[in-house]
Amino acid sequence: MGILEETKGLIEVSVDELGLPKAVYQHLKEPQRLLIANIPITMDNGEVQSFTAFRSQHCNVLGPFKGGIRYHPEVCMDEVKALSMWMSLKCAVVQVPYGGGKGGIICDAKNMSEDEIERLSRGFVRSMLKIIGPEQDIPAPDVYTNPQVMAWMADEYSMAKGHNAWGIVTGKPLIVGGSLGRLEATSRGCFFVINEACSKLGLSLKGLRVAVQGFGNVGSYAAQLLENAGAKIVGVSDSSGGIANEAGLSVDKLMDCKAKTGSVSEYANGDKISNEQLLTMDCDVLTPAALENQITGDNASDIKAKIVAEAANGPTNAEADKILTDKGVLVCPDILANAGGVVVSYFEWVQDIESFYWSEEQVNTRLKIKMTDAFTRVYDFSQRKQVPMRKAAYMLAVQRMGEAMQMRGWVKKAK
Ligand code: NAD
């Protein structure tokens, strides 16, 4: 079963078990609007090439659509739809007033020039002009899009409207309405979730043994925050392989090594391991921070971590989820564990609307409150209803959207 069908299945079960009207599921099983655009761009060689772009606007019952745009040769409609559903769920879990959105352009960004990427990004905004806006749908960076791309998009939108509208996208550079703390927000949010999960299991961050899969934006900063809090990073990996050391790896040195050699697996002070070995190594906390579908029925029973904190989107498939739950592993699901990014995106949008910018400390303090509150709600619900954390997070999110639908009259109230 693909990620879209798995996500729909979990939403349907949540609607049923919560006793919500079936019509709630009818609203949530498909995006409210799906736009496909054809964007013709003049390439550097003078030829015109057409790119297919998608924007999925899943559900705006709680607020404007919000979610990233990815530039990737394999982006497809089902992926964008599923990712927009996760965004709706994520925003509802952490109680930020947004609905889910996601976009993508089928392109090989790695082999395009900066000028071509700029023209494509501006073309995307022009083709979506009628359906995006600070009060309608607010894109953000995702795979192979970055603050520079967001700056071009904000500029194109502002030019079209005749005034600066920084609130149109988040994840912007600071100079054009970005927020302090946005770069590390997803990792910091995940760090707060791990902290709370540890306290529930009576584990201290001091000496906690952590393995991190994926040493990119999210994985590297998460490792750094954990190390600063006294944890031992006993293993890390990236797409070229991994490295382990029971005595602990230095995150600063790993960052240097990755910058110089391209991979953490070249780090001298440790034993080379494969990605498969990293996932099943002896540790207290495993943080998958790379790709979807890494923990599966094939390896879940070998996982030794007591806590799995899903920094990546969709790293655990349904079969593995059941195995981990039966083993008593505390799984902090993606829609909770990696929601720090959208929380600080929300803070960025609020700052843009008010034209009043916060200190990094204010951003981080408010992020901590949001993430710890969300963890507590999900954990308490899972204990009260005796359901795994993922199911608890889905049920709380669906409950919130379902209640708003009933209040707004989108569905008849349950008797
Ligand atoms: P990134 O591209 O910066 O880093 C990804 C890392 O994963 C890289 O180090 C890469 O080498 C590694 N990787 C790729 N394939 C791997 C494999 N098979 N085994 C081990 N490592 C592998 O991406 P990112 O922004 O850090 O995002 C990581 C994950 O977190 C994604 O699932 C993304 O959807 C999710 N996420 C990111 C954010 C954010 O704010 N960046 C927010 C929410 C969720």
Side-chain angles (χ1 to χ4, degrees):
M1 203 192 296
I3 51 173
L4 182 60
E5 292 311 314
E6 274 187 14
T7 306
K8 280 193 206 175
L10 277 168
I11 293 175
E12 188 169 19
V13 167
S14 301
V15 169
D16 285 348
E17 293 192 13
L18 288 161
L20 289 167
K22 283 262 184 234
V24 171
Y25 177 64
Q26 297 304 318
H27 277 286
L28 294 177
K29 76 182 171 101
E30 290 293 330
Q32 272 170 235
R33 184 195 270 147
L34 190 59
L35 194 122
I36 305 175
N38 177 38
I39 310 175
I41 298 297
T42 305
M43 306 303 278
D44 290 347
N45 63 7
E47 307 250 314
V48 172
Q49 196 178 322
S50 277
F51 294 87
T52 305
F54 307 103
R55 185 74 184 164
S56 170
Q57 298 184 325
H58 177 244
C59 177
N60 66 355
V61 73
L62 292 168
F65 304 105
K66 180 89 190 85
I69 301 176
R70 59 177 57 174
Y71 289 180
H72 199 274
E74 277 143 38
V75 174
C76 66
M77 201 142 74
D78 269 8
E79 181 185 47
V80 169
K81 278 165 76 169
L83 288 163
S84 70
M85 279 182 192
W86 284 343
M87 284 304 295
S88 290
L89 294 159
K90 210 178 282 190
C91 294
V93 167
V94 288
Q95 299 193 350
V96 295
Y98 285 142
K102 204 77 178 191
I105 305 181
I106 304 174
C107 65
D108 185 7
K110 272 193 191 171
N111 290 315
M112 290 169 71
S113 73
E114 201 181 25
D115 286 348
E116 288 168 344
I117 300 268
E118 177 176 350
R119 289 195 286 276
L120 184 60
S121 305
R122 290 183 183 278
F124 179 85
V125 170
R126 286 195 299 276
S127 68
M128 301 280 161
L129 210 50
K130 287 206 172 74
I131 66 157
I132 60 171
E135 289 162 348
Q136 248 181 306
D137 183 352
I138 307 129
D142 195 75
V143 177
Y144 292 125
T145 51
N146 55 28
Q148 174 61 78
V149 170
M150 294 304 113
W152 290 323
M153 289 188 173
D155 182 69
E156 190 67 25
Y157 184 84
S158 298
M159 293 293 184
K161 295 290 164 185
H163 59 88
N164 286 351
W166 297 148
I168 174 60
V169 286
T170 59
K172 300 178 295 294
L174 277 181
I175 191 78
V176 286
S179 175
L180 289 164
R182 175 64 186 84
L183 188 64
E184 321 83 35
T186 305
S187 319
R188 195 177 293 279
C190 188
F191 167 74
F192 292 137
V193 163
I194 292 172
N195 198 6
E196 292 302 304
C198 284
S199 71
K200 295 296 178 199
L201 298 191
L203 296 169
S204 163
L205 285 185
K206 292 257 171 304
L208 189 78
R209 293 165 314 138
V210 183
V212 181
Q213 185 202 35
F215 203 70
N217 180 28
V218 178
S220 62
Y221 288 119
Q224 192 166 55
L225 288 162
L226 285 157
E227 186 187 49
N228 290 346
K232 259 197 305 186
I233 308 302
V234 292
V236 298
S237 68
D238 57 30
S239 54
S240 307
I243 191 93
N245 187 339
E246 182 58 26
L249 301 156
S250 154
V251 177
D252 276 350
K253 288 184 184 157
L254 284 167
M255 285 177 170
D256 271 356
C257 174
K258 174 116 180 142
K260 283 190 190 125
T261 69
S263 173
V264 290
S265 59
E266 296 304 317
Y267 184 77
N269 201 8
D271 303 319
K272 276 193 195 305
I273 53 168
S274 66
N275 258 302
E276 199 52 39
Q277 287 171 312
L278 178 114
L279 293 172
T280 55
M281 70 182 285
D282 200 12
C283 62
D284 300 310
V285 177
L286 172 64
T287 303
L291 305 170
E292 299 98 69
N293 229 15
Q294 297 299 297
I295 307 178
T296 64
D298 293 337
N299 57 14
S301 50
D302 296 326
I303 283 180
K304 300 181 188 66
K306 301 177 186 79
I307 295 169
V308 171
E310 295 182 341
N313 282 314
T316 312
N317 75 9
E319 191 186 353
D321 209 21
K322 179 160 183 345
I323 297 171
L324 293 179
T325 304
D326 291 348
K327 270 165 62 108
V329 177
L330 182 58
V331 178
C332 301
D334 46 9
I335 59 169
L336 168 67
N338 70 32
V342 75
V343 170
V344 175
S345 275
Y346 165 58
F347 294 164
E348 178 177 335
W349 178 75
V350 169
Q351 293 170 73
D352 288 334
I353 289 169
E354 292 189 331
S355 287
F356 185 71
Y357 291 87
W358 309 350
S359 69
E360 191 161 2
E361 198 190 337
Q362 283 172 310
V363 171
N364 292 343
T365 305
R366 286 170 171 154
L367 174 63
K368 183 174 184 181
I369 294 169
K370 272 275 176 217
M371 296 306 296
T372 49
D373 282 357
F375 178 91
T376 305
R377 274 193 302 276
V378 173
Y379 185 82
D380 289 353
F381 188 93
S382 84
Q383 295 288 303
R384 208 169 53 245
K385 301 279 183 192
Q386 287 297 295
V387 293
M389 289 283 279
R390 189 183 316 279
K391 190 162 178 189
Y394 268 71
M395 288 179 79
L396 282 171
V398 168
Q399 173 81 42
R400 201 167 160 79
M401 289 188 275
E403 266 179 35
M405 283 180 195
Q406 292 176 77
M407 280 299 167
R408 291 183 65 165
W410 289 15
V411 300
K412 283 215 164 60
K413 287 189 181 170
K415 295 259 164 24

